[in-house]
C-alpha cells in the first residue's frame, strides 16, 4: 500500500504512518497475524487494565509500546498472541469524579441520599466516555489490540469470576474479618491499603502541631506526667499513658511544679523553660509507675465501663522523640490499638466516618479532625495543661485521590491472610523472571516479606459487592461478624436466597441489585442474613484479571487452564507494590502458582528537567503533537532504547526523539533510497541469502547474522534496550561502513551481487526493527518486496550465513586504522582524494586478509599497507608525495568536480555528458571519462557541461 512515489525525496514520516494504519485496517493485518498462528502454540500476555477516567499520557504510551513490541515479536516467531483490551471501571477515582460532577455534598451520606442506584447508574454511564479517545491514540501509536471485544471489570461475568476467586480463598481459610488499624480517608470514608499509600508519593511534608501536654497525677495539686503528641486531635480520646517498663523516669521540679519524664529527657525538657540544671527529686523504673492514675484531660468520652486514665507499660515507647511517656488513644494508632486490646482499655471512637467529632466531644462537635486541633489546644491552655506548643514540619500521608489528610483508625474490615500465605508467595516468586533482575529479591521480594494482611473491603458503592452474607445480630464481643456465608456464583446465590426468584431475573450484580437480597446463612435454612455492605477493593478486581476476563471457571475452562500462567506482563515500577503484587497474591492463593513468568518493569517518565510531568505546568510536549511531528516510530524507538526500560526514571527529551529520527530513520531512508536508485522496481530476493563474493558483502552477511542472533537473544530475554541498541548501531555500520565502501560497486555495471546483498540486508533490517518500529518497517517491506502482504506476517529471520568472527574482527581493526589515518590527514590538511604511498600499522592483531587490506587501501587512499604485530596500536602515514601521486590526486579532484557539475545540472546517472575543463592530467583522460561518465572532454576556459 504505502508505495513511495518519489524515492529521491525524504518522506513525511507521520504521513507515511497514517497510510500504514489505513493499510492495516483495510487488510485486517492484526487479525490475520493472530489467526495465522496455530491455537496450539499460544503466547499469553496479561494486560493491566487502565482506569477509564482520563486520557492516555506518556506512561500509557510507554506501557502500550512494550505491550505491542513483545507480542509482535512472538507473533513473528510463530506464536499465537491474543490481545484483548480491558477497562478498569470501578473504584474511588470514578466515584470521586461522579461525586464532583453531580455536586453531591456530605460524602457517603450525600451519595446515599441521592440513592445508590442513581449513583451507580451515573458511574456506569460515565465509565466509557474516553474510550474513543483511547482507541484513537492506541491505534495511532501502532499498538495492536482488540478493542471490540474488550472486557470491563463492571461486566456481570467479570464480577462473577471475582466472586468465585474470593470464595476459593475463603474455602482455604485465607479470609477473615478483623478490626485493624488502617490509614483511613475520611473524605472517601474508606480505608486505604498499604500499597495504595506506597504506590506514588502519598506523603507530603506539612506543618503540624507539636504539643507537650501535662497529665495531672490523681490526688495531687501540681504533679504531672508530661507527654508529647503531634496529633492533638487524638487527645479527647486519651485512655492511658504508656512508659517503657525498664527505662528510668525522673520527677523534676520546674517553676514550682513537678513533672515525670524519662531520665534521658530531663535536660531537654528543662531547657524548654530555660532551666539548665533541673533538680531531680526522684528516679524510678517505668514499671514502678504502672497503674498510677491521672485526671483525664476532658470528661467527654464514654468509657464503656472499662478502666482508663492510668499509666501502663509498653515496649513500643521510644526515647528518641518526646518525653518517653506516650499518650494513647486506643483506636487511632496501630500500637495504641494493640495496647488497648492487651490491657482491655476502652475503644471508643471520637470521630464519625467522615472524620468529624461526635457530638459528645462538646467544644469541637461536628468539626473536621484536623481543623479542631487549635480549639483543643486553646481549651487545654485555659486549663493550664499545655507545657509547650509549637509548629513542626513532618511527613504526613494524604489520600492519593482526594488529597485529604489520612489518619490511622481501627475499623472493621475484611482481610486476605497474607501472613498465612507468605511462605508460598515468596516461594512462587522464585519461578518468576524479573526485568530488571534486581526487582526479584529487591523491591518485589522485599515487599512480599514485609507485606501486611491485605484489607480488601471498601465501604463504597461502585465496585463488585463482596459476596458475604452475615447473620444479623451475631457479633463477637469486639463487634465482628461470627456467622456468614460466602457465595461463589450467581447460581449459588439463587440456591441460598431466601426468595430465589429475586435472583432469577438479575441482569447485574452491583449493590443496588443485591443489597435487598437475603440469604440463608446455615444449610438448614434457619438463619437469615444480609450482605456485608462493603464492595471489593478494586485491586482485587484487577488482580483477578487473568481468570475474570475469561469468565473462568464458568466459561473457557480448559483454554484457561492450559495457558496459565502468562509468559509476559509489563507495567511501571510502582505496580510491583500494586497490580503485580495483587495478581501474585490472588494467583498463589487461588491456583497455588504465580500468574506470570516474565515481568518487565519500566521506570517513570519525567519532564525534561526531572520534575513530574504536569498538565498544568505544561512541562512536556503534547504526545499527539510530537507524534505528528516526528512519527511514532521515532518515539517508540526512543522509549524502547532508553533507561526507562531498565526501571529507571527517564527525563523526556523531545530533542532526543528528533535526533533519533535523524540518526535512524533519515539514514535508513538514505540507504534505501540509494539502493532503489540503482535497482528500480525489482523486488528483493529474500527466500535465500545471496551468495557473496566480495569481502564487503561477506562481511555484511556475517554482520547481519550476528545482529539477528543478538537481537533474538536479547528479545528472548526481554531486554528491549540491548536489542534496540544493537539495531541502532547496525544502521550506522550499514551506512558509514558498508555503503561507504560499496557505493561504487553497487553503481557499477556488475553491481548485481552487491545490490542483492544490500537489498537482502535492508529487508532483514526491516524485519528486525518490525516489532519496535512497525510502521517504517512496513513501508520498507512494501517498497522492497511486496505491497500486498505485511512484514508483520513474515517469519522472524534466521541467520543467513555462518558468522565469520575473524572477518568481523579484522574489519573492526581496519576501521580503527582508517579513523586514525583520517585524523592524520585532517591534521595535516591533506584531502582523502590525494593518494599517499603507504600506511604503516602496528597492531596487536595479525595482518588481516588481503581482501580486507584492499578495503583499507581504498578507504584511506594509500598504495600500500605495512603491518607489524606489536603490543600496542599505532598508525603512521607516509606523507611525502611523488609527482605521480600528485597527478593522481589532481585527476581525482577533476572527477569529483565533474560529478558535482552533473548533479547541479540534474543529469540522470545513466547518461553520458560532454564536459569542458580548463585543465586535467592528460595521462588520466580515459580514467576520468569512464569514472565520471563523460563522452568527450574538451579544453575551455571554464568547467562546464556542454549541452
Ligand atoms: Zn480520599
Amino acid at each position: 500500500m504505502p508505495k513511495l512515489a518519489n524515492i529521491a525525496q525524504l518522506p513525511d514520516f507521520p504521513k507515511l504512518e497514517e497510510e500504514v494504519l489505513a493499510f492495516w485496517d483495510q487488510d485486517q493485518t492484526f487479525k490475520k497475524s493472530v489467526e495465522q498462528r496455530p491455537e496450539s502454540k499460544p503466547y499469553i500476555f496479561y494486560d493491566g487494565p487502565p482506569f477509564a477516567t482520563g486520557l492516555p499520557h506518556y506512561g500509557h504510551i510507554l506501557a502500550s509500546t512494550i505491550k505491542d513490541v513483545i507480542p509482535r515479536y512472538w507473533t513473528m516467531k510463530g506464536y499465537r498472541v491474543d490481545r484483548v483490551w480491558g477497562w478498569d471501571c470501578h473504584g474511588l477515582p470514578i466515584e470521586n469524579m461522579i461525586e464532583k460532577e453531580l455536586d453531591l455534598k456530605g460524602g457517603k451520606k450525600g451519595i446515599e441520599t441521592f440513592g445508590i442506584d442513581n449513583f451507580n447508574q451515573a458511574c456506569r454511564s460515565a465509565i466509557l466516555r474516553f474510550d474513543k479517545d483511547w482507541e484513537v491514540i492506541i491505534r495511532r501509536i501502532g499498538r495492536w489490540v482488540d478493542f471490540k471485544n474488550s472486557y470491563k471489570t463492571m461486566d456481570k461475568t467479570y464480577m462473577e469470576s471475582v466472586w468465585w476467586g474470593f470464595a476459593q480463598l475463603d474455602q482455604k481459610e485465607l479470609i477473615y474479618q478483623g478490626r485493624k488499624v488502617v490509614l483511613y480517608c475520611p473524605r472517601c470514608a474508606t480505608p486505604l491499603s498499604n500499597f495504595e499509600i506506597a504506590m506514588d508519593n502519598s506523603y507530603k511534608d506539612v506543618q503540624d502541631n507539636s504539643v507537650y501536654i501535662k497529665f495531672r497525677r490523681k490526688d495531687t495539686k501540681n504533679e504531672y506526667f508530661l507527654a508529647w503528641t503531634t496529633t492533638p486531635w487524638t487527645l479527647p480520646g486519651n485512655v492511658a499513658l504508656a512508659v517503657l517498663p525498664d527505662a528510668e523516669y525522673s520527677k523534676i521540679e520546674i517553676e514550682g511544679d513537678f513533672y515525670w519524664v524519662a531520665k534521658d529527657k530531663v535536660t531537654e525538657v528543662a531547657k524548654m523553660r530555660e532551666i539548665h540544671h533541673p533538680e531531680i527529686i526522684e528516679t524510678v523504673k517505668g514499671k514502678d509507675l504502672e497503674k498510677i492514675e491521672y485526671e483525664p484531660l476532658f470528661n467527654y468520652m464514654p468509657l464503656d465501663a472499662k478502666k482508663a486514665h492510668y499509666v501502663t507499660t509498653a515496649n513500643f515507647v521510644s526515647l528518641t522523640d518526646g518525653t518517653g511517656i506516650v499518650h494513647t488513644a486506643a483506636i487511632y494508632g496501630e500500637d495504641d490499638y494493640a495496647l488497648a486490646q492487651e490491657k482491655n482499655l476502652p475503644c471508643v471512637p471520637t470521630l464519625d466516618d467522615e472524620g468529624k467529632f461526635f457530638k459528645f466531644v462538646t467544644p469541637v462537635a461536628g468539626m473536621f479532625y484536623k481543623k479542631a486541633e487549635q480549639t483543643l489546644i486553646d481549651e487545654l491552655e485555659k486549663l493550664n495543661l499545655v507545657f509547650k506548643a509549637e509548629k513542626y514540619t513532618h511527613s504526613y500521608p494524604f489520600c492519593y485521590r482526594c488529597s485529604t489528610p489520612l489518619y490511622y483508625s481501627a475499623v472493621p474490615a475484611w482481610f486476605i491472610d497474607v501472613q498465612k500465605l507468605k511462605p508460598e508467595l515468596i516461594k512462587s516468586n522464585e519461578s518468576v523472571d524479573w526485568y530488571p533482575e534486581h526487582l526479584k529479591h529487591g523491591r518485589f521480594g522485599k515487599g512480599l516479606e514485609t507485606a501486611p494482611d491485605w484489607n480488601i473491603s471498601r465501604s463504597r458503592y461502585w465496585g463488585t459487592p463482596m459476596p458475604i452474607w452475615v447473620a444479623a445480630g451475631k457479633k463477637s464481643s469486639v463487634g465482628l461478624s461470627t456467622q456468614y456465608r460466602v457465595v461463589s456464583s450467581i447460581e449459588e446465590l439463587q440456591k441460598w436466597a431466601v426468595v430465589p426468584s429475586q435472583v432469577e431475573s438479575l441482569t447485574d450484580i452491583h449493590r443496588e441489585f443485591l443489597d435487598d437480597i437475603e440469604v440463608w446463612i446455615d444449610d438448614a435454612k434457619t438463619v437469615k442474613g444480609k450482605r456485608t455492605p462493603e464492595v471489593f477493593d478494586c485491586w482485587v478486581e484487577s488482580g483477578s484479571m487473568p481468570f475474570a476476563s475469561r469468565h473462568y471457571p464458568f466459561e473457557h475452562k480448559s483454554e484457561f487452564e492450559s495457558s496459565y500462567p502468562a509468559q509476559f506482563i509489563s507495567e511501571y515500577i510502582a505496580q510491583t507494590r500494586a497490580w503485580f503484587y495483587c495478581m501474585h497474591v490472588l494467583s498463589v492463593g487461588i491456583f497455588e502458582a504465580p500468574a506470570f513468568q516474565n515481568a518487565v518493569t519500566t521506570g517513570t517518565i519525567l519532564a525534561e528537567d526531572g520534575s513530574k510531568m504536569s498538565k498544568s505546568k505544561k512541562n512536556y510536549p503534547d504526545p499527539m503533537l510530537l507524534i505528528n511531528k516526528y512519527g511514532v516510530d521515532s518515539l517508540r524507538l526512543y522509549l524502547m532504547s532508553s533507561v526507562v526500560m531498565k526501571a529507571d526514571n527517564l527525563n523526556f527529551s523531545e530533542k532526543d526523539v528528533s535526533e533519533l529520527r535523524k540518526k535512524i530513520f533519515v539514514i535508513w531512508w538514505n540507504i534505501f533510497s540509494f539502493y532503489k536508485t540503482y535497482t528500480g522496481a525489482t523486488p528483493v530476493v529474500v527466500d535465500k541469502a545471496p551468495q557473496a563474493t566480495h569481502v564487503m558483502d561477506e562481511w555484511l552477511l556475517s554482520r547481519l547474522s550476528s545482529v539477528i542472533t543478538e537481537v533474538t537473544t536479547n528479545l528472548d530475554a526481554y531486554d528491549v534496550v540491548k536489542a534496540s541498541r544493537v539495531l541502532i548501531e547496525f544502521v550506522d555500520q550499514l551506512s558509514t561502513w558498508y555503503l561507504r565502501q560499496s557505493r561504487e560497486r553497487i553503481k557499477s555495471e556488475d553491481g548485481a551481487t552487491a545490490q542483492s546483498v544490500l537489498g537482502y540486508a535492508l529487508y532483514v533490517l526491516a524485519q528486525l526493527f518490525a516489532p519496535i518500529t512497525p510502521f517504517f518497517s512496513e513501508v520498507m517491506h512494501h517498497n522492497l518486496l511486496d505491497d500486498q502482504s505485511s512484514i508483520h506476517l513474515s517469519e522472524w529471520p534466521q541467520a543467513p550465513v555462518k558468522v565469520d568472527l575473524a572477518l568481523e574482527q579484522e574489519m573492526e581493526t581496519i576501521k580503527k586504522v582508517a579513523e586514525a589515518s583520517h585524523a592524520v590527514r585532517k591534521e595535516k590538511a591533506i584531502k582523502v582524494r590525494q593518494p599517499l604511498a603507504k600506511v604503516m600499522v602496528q597492531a596487536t592483531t595479525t595482518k588481516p586478509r588481503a581482501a580486507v587490506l584492499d578495503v583499507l587501501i581504498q578507504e584511506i587512499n594509500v598504495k600500500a599497507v605495512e603491518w607489524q604485530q606489536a603490543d600496542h596500536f599505532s598508525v603512521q602515514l607516509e606523507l611525502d608525495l611523488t609527482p605521480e601521486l600528485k597527478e593522481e590526486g589532481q585527476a581525482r579532484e577533476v572527477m569529483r568536480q565533474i560529478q558535482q557539475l552533473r548533479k547541479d545540472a540534474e543529469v540522470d546517472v545513466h547518461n553520458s555528458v560532454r564536459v569542458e575543463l580548463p585543465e586535467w592530467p592528460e595521462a588520466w583522460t580515459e580514467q576520468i571519462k569512464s569514472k565520471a561518465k563523460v563522452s568527450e572532454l574538451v579544453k575551455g576556459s571554464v568547467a562546464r557541461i556542454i549541452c
Side-chain angles (χ1 to χ4, degrees):
M1 250 284 294
K3 271 275 194 190
L4 296 153
N6 186 353
I7 298 292
Q9 201 191 341
L10 189 69
D12 176 345
F13 291 112
K15 195 168 150 268
L16 267 186
E17 291 177 353
E18 296 281 359
E19 288 172 35
V20 171
L21 286 172
F23 167 77
W24 286 343
D25 283 352
Q26 175 254 321
D27 179 59
Q28 296 204 296
T29 319
F30 168 45
K31 195 162 173 261
K32 282 183 192 165
S33 83
V34 176
E35 286 171 1
Q36 75 171 14
R37 306 303 187 193
E39 273 177 66
S40 57
K41 213 177 160 188
Y43 177 90
I44 305 293
F45 141 67
Y46 293 151
D47 189 3
F51 277 123
T53 44
L55 286 173
H57 51 64
Y58 279 105
H60 296 115
I61 292 177
L62 168 67
S64 267
T65 303
I66 182 70
K67 290 172 188 179
D68 187 58
V69 170
I70 299 297
R72 278 185 195 265
Y73 170 67
W74 287 95
T75 300
M76 287 178 80
K77 296 244 292 184
Y79 289 81
R80 188 183 178 104
V81 195
D82 279 308
R83 281 156 272 176
V84 179
W85 189 263
W87 290 110
D88 198 348
C89 304
H90 289 145
L92 275 184
I94 301 238
E95 289 202 23
N96 288 344
M97 187 177 89
I98 296 303
E99 265 183 274
K100 269 195 202 111
E101 281 179 18
L102 296 176
D103 199 21
L104 297 178
K105 297 272 156 55
K108 289 173 68 180
K109 245 181 248 136
I111 294 172
E112 279 168 25
T113 312
F114 181 67
I116 296 176
D117 50 349
N118 293 331
F119 182 74
N120 277 358
Q121 187 47 41
C123 292
R124 190 180 287 110
S125 56
I127 208 78
L128 293 181
R129 63 171 66 156
F130 292 117
D131 67 336
K132 288 287 170 265
D133 301 283
W134 272 82
E135 205 174 329
V136 166
I137 294 176
I138 295 299
R139 173 181 178 270
R140 181 61 189 88
I141 66 172
R143 177 169 176 198
W144 277 353
V145 59
D146 178 2
F147 267 100
K148 227 175 36 219
N149 297 304
S150 62
Y151 67 85
K152 298 168 204 69
T153 57
M154 64 177 181
D155 292 340
K156 189 171 91 175
T157 50
Y158 193 102
M159 293 163 73
E160 188 179 28
S161 290
V162 172
W163 278 8
W164 173 83
F166 175 74
Q168 305 312 299
L169 297 177
D170 180 60
Q171 274 169 28
K172 295 182 182 180
E173 297 182 348
L174 290 168
I175 303 295
Y176 69 91
Q177 194 191 26
R179 188 188 281 275
K180 235 186 163 171
V181 177
V182 284
L183 269 173
Y184 181 83
C185 174
R187 162 69 189 62
C188 303
T190 185
L192 277 87
S193 63
N194 282 42
F195 51 78
E196 280 171 321
I197 307 299
M199 219 182 132
D200 280 306
N201 214 350
S202 300
Y203 281 81
K204 289 180 217 165
D205 276 346
V206 288
Q207 260 217 337
D208 263 333
N209 293 302
S210 155
V211 197
Y212 290 82
I213 298 290
K214 296 151 71 173
F215 291 85
R216 187 156 58 86
R217 182 172 178 169
K218 210 167 184 177
D219 305 324
T220 72
K221 213 179 118 230
N222 57 353
E223 184 177 338
Y224 301 96
F225 296 100
L226 197 59
W228 177 65
T229 179
T230 55
T231 53
W233 64 267
T234 58
L235 289 170
N238 172 273
V239 288
L241 293 172
V243 294
L244 203 55
D246 293 322
E248 288 186 314
Y249 287 82
S250 297
K251 182 161 92 171
I252 53 172
E253 187 187 343
I254 295 176
E255 294 159 359
D257 289 332
F258 300 96
Y259 296 96
W260 284 99
V261 294
K263 194 181 173 204
D264 291 357
K265 293 287 168 182
V266 165
T267 314
E268 207 177 296
V269 167
K271 263 193 195 150
M272 292 176 194
R273 288 288 168 85
E274 311 285 326
I275 292 164
H276 297 284
H277 302 287
E279 195 191 336
I280 293 178
I281 313 288
E282 64 170 311
T283 297
V284 298
K285 282 275 170 71
K287 56 187 166 214
D288 298 329
L289 299 173
E290 206 173 356
K291 300 231 161 76
I292 297 179
E293 291 179 60
Y294 60 87
E295 296 292 340
L297 299 176
F298 304 105
N299 283 312
Y300 310 126
M301 207 172 73
L303 298 175
D304 269 1
K306 285 181 181 173
K307 191 170 163 52
H309 303 121
Y310 58 89
V311 178
T312 186
T313 56
N315 287 318
F316 64 78
V317 175
S318 148
L319 296 182
T320 321
D321 300 313
T323 63
I325 300 177
V326 171
H327 132 72
T328 295
I331 68 168
Y332 298 114
E334 206 166 350
D335 292 330
D336 300 56
Y337 184 67
L339 184 69
Q341 295 294 100
E342 188 193 327
K343 310 277 178 177
N344 196 26
L345 290 161
C347 288
V348 181
T350 51
L351 303 181
D352 66 12
D353 61 7
E354 290 173 357
K356 291 173 183 163
F357 277 98
F358 282 123
K359 267 209 190 95
F360 62 78
V361 194
T362 335
V364 289
M367 239 191 246
F368 188 63
Y369 78 103
K370 274 267 174 191
K371 286 193 178 144
E373 287 194 345
Q374 198 52 53
T375 313
L376 289 167
I377 294 170
D378 292 347
E379 284 288 311
L380 292 169
E381 294 264 18
K382 269 187 241 163
L383 299 165
N384 189 25
L385 292 176
V386 178
F387 184 78
K388 190 187 178 191
E390 61 185 358
K391 295 287 176 190
Y392 133 111
T393 304
H394 68 155
S395 171
Y396 198 85
F398 288 80
C399 177
Y400 76 114
R401 281 297 164 197
C402 72
S403 295
T404 300
L406 305 173
Y407 59 82
Y408 284 97
S409 183
V411 297
W414 296 90
F415 291 86
I416 292 179
D417 194 339
V418 172
Q419 307 321 311
K420 198 166 170 182
L421 202 53
K422 201 165 271 186
E424 282 309 306
L425 292 175
I426 292 168
K427 199 173 130 217
S428 291
N429 183 36
E430 287 307 309
S431 63
V432 178
D433 285 326
W434 287 88
Y435 307 92
E437 206 193 324
H438 63 78
L439 294 172
K440 182 173 184 154
H441 295 119
R443 204 178 169 101
F444 190 77
K446 291 268 175 335
L448 292 179
E449 282 165 24
T450 58
D453 286 353
W454 177 7
N455 167 21
I456 52 169
S457 53
R458 294 290 177 273
S459 308
R460 298 298 306 182
Y461 308 93
W462 180 238
T464 298
M466 297 187 80
I468 306 173
W469 271 260
V470 181
K474 307 256 171 165
K475 297 262 176 170
S476 72
S477 62
V478 284
L480 301 176
S481 314
T482 50
Q483 205 186 348
Y484 57 87
R485 175 183 291 284
V486 170
V487 153
S488 70
S489 65
I490 295 169
E491 197 187 314
E492 206 185 324
L493 175 61
Q494 187 168 3
K495 182 175 161 196
W496 296 109
V498 174
V499 186
S501 63
Q502 274 184 301
V503 181
E504 236 163 74
S505 53
L506 277 185
T507 52
D508 191 323
I509 51 173
H510 281 91
R511 275 190 66 172
E512 63 273 32
F513 298 93
L514 284 193
D515 285 0
D516 291 341
I517 296 176
E518 283 187 306
V519 158
W520 294 112
I521 302 301
D522 58 335
D523 290 1
K525 297 192 176 181
T526 60
V527 182
K528 284 183 194 173
K530 293 205 71 157
R531 200 184 65 79
T532 194
E534 296 98 330
V535 297
F536 278 114
D537 171 6
C538 63
W539 289 103
V540 172
E541 302 177 5
S542 47
S544 300
M545 171 267 156
F547 56 94
S549 64
R550 323 285 326 255
H551 194 209
Y552 178 85
F554 310 100
E555 287 177 79
H556 307 290
K557 198 166 184 309
S558 63
E559 249 173 272
F560 174 81
E561 283 166 6
S562 66
S563 62
Y564 197 77
Q567 267 90 41
F568 163 68
I569 59 169
S570 174
E571 296 295 335
Y572 87 120
I573 184 101
Q575 299 286 12
T576 50
R577 294 277 165 87
W579 189 58
F580 290 162
Y581 171 76
C582 301
M583 209 154 55
H584 191 65
V585 169
L586 293 176
S587 180
V588 172
I590 298 168
F591 302 106
E592 286 146 34
F596 46 88
Q597 290 169 343
N598 299 284
V600 176
T601 310
T602 63
T604 307
I605 301 181
L606 302 170
E608 192 159 12
D609 63 1
S611 63
K612 215 172 170 182
M613 279 189 169
S614 146
K615 249 189 214 155
S616 55
K617 281 195 218 153
K618 289 200 174 132
N619 58 356
Y620 63 93
D622 178 274
M624 286 309 265
L625 293 181
L626 181 120
I627 288 168
N628 290 329
K629 195 163 161 193
Y630 305 105
V632 77
D633 274 345
S634 296
L635 176 60
R636 288 175 62 124
L637 183 58
Y638 169 69
L639 294 173
M640 292 301 102
S641 60
S642 82
V643 293
V644 79
M645 294 306 300
K646 300 258 181 207
D648 285 334
N649 290 345
L650 170 69
N651 295 358
F652 189 86
S653 158
E654 177 170 352
K655 198 173 129 259
D656 288 354
V657 177
S658 158
E659 287 294 313
L660 206 55
R661 174 188 167 275
K662 280 186 225 143
K663 206 171 128 190
I664 299 304
F665 299 99
V666 174
I667 301 286
W668 187 355
W669 164 263
N670 285 339
I671 304 169
F672 161 78
S673 161
F674 174 83
Y675 169 81
K676 282 305 251 190
T677 308
Y678 295 97
T679 59
T682 326
V684 292
V685 177
V686 295
D687 40 5
K688 72 176 204 297
Q691 200 63 43
T693 50
H694 191 275
V695 72
M696 282 310 298
D697 296 342
E698 283 169 3
W699 173 78
L700 182 59
L701 290 176
S702 174
R703 197 77 267 285
L704 191 63
S705 297
S706 298
V707 168
I708 291 171
T709 308
E710 285 171 46
V711 171
T712 307
T713 310
N714 283 309
L715 286 180
D716 281 348
Y718 298 88
D719 193 337
V720 188
V721 178
K722 264 201 201 135
S724 305
R725 290 182 183 173
V726 167
L727 287 169
I728 289 170
E729 197 195 332
F730 184 60
V731 170
D732 182 61
Q733 290 172 337
L734 192 56
S735 159
T736 61
W737 191 248
Y738 177 79
L739 202 57
R740 192 182 161 97
Q741 309 309 330
S742 313
R743 218 172 266 275
E744 294 309 316
R745 253 180 344 109
I746 292 169
K747 281 164 137 178
S748 71
E749 307 285 318
D750 49 0
T753 318
Q755 287 171 7
S756 63
V757 170
L758 177 59
Y760 183 83
L762 276 170
Y763 183 71
V764 173
L765 180 70
Q767 283 190 300
L768 295 174
F769 262 114
I772 300 168
T773 64
F775 294 92
F776 195 68
S777 297
E778 189 77 297
V779 172
M780 288 293 99
H781 176 91
H782 286 182
N783 287 274
L784 287 167
L785 190 70
D786 160 26
D787 64 349
Q788 299 304 310
S789 70
S790 168
I791 197 164
H792 302 286
L793 303 181
S794 70
E795 298 284 333
W796 187 251
Q798 302 280 328
V801 297
K802 197 165 165 280
V803 170
D804 185 342
L805 219 59
L807 175 60
E808 290 191 31
Q809 273 158 7
E810 286 175 16
M811 216 50 108
E812 272 308 305
T813 310
I814 66 155
K815 266 166 84 179
K816 276 191 211 138
V817 176
E819 274 162 30
S821 304
H822 291 316
V824 173
R825 281 180 181 270
K826 203 176 166 198
E827 195 196 318
K828 305 280 179 193
I830 306 167
K831 285 181 177 167
V832 183
R833 276 189 291 282
Q834 175 59 58
L836 295 174
K838 66 177 175 186
V839 65
M840 290 147 290
V841 183
Q842 290 188 307
T844 52
T845 50
T846 54
K847 189 175 179 175
R849 65 196 76 178
V852 172
L853 288 179
D854 283 345
V855 171
L856 177 64
I857 285 170
Q858 195 195 331
E859 167 67 19
I860 64 174
N861 201 13
V862 292
K863 296 297 171 194
V865 180
E866 264 182 26
W867 198 281
Q868 240 185 9
Q869 208 170 343
D871 55 3
H872 66 284
F873 178 76
S874 80
V875 175
Q876 249 185 305
L877 284 172
E878 172 64 69
L879 297 170
D880 290 340
L881 294 180
T882 62
E884 291 79 15
L885 288 173
K886 266 188 191 161
E887 208 167 70
E888 190 182 340
Q890 285 156 5
R892 295 267 194 133
E893 184 59 37
V894 166
M895 290 176 207
R896 187 204 59 85
Q897 208 179 352
I898 299 170
Q899 292 294 11
Q900 190 57 47
L901 291 171
R902 294 181 58 114
K903 216 173 168 185
D904 293 345
E906 293 179 3
V907 179
D908 187 282
V909 288
H910 302 288
N911 292 351
S912 293
V913 287
R914 291 176 67 221
V915 174
E916 182 182 302
L917 281 178
E919 56 169 359
W920 67 88
E922 300 285 342
W924 286 82
T925 307
E926 284 316 306
Q927 294 239 36
I928 293 170
K929 283 169 75 175
S930 102
K931 281 269 175 184
K933 275 210 168 238
V934 174
S935 55
E936 200 185 344
L937 206 50
V938 293
K939 283 245 171 173
S941 52
V942 290
R944 65 184 181 107
I945 286 175
I946 313 163
C947 295

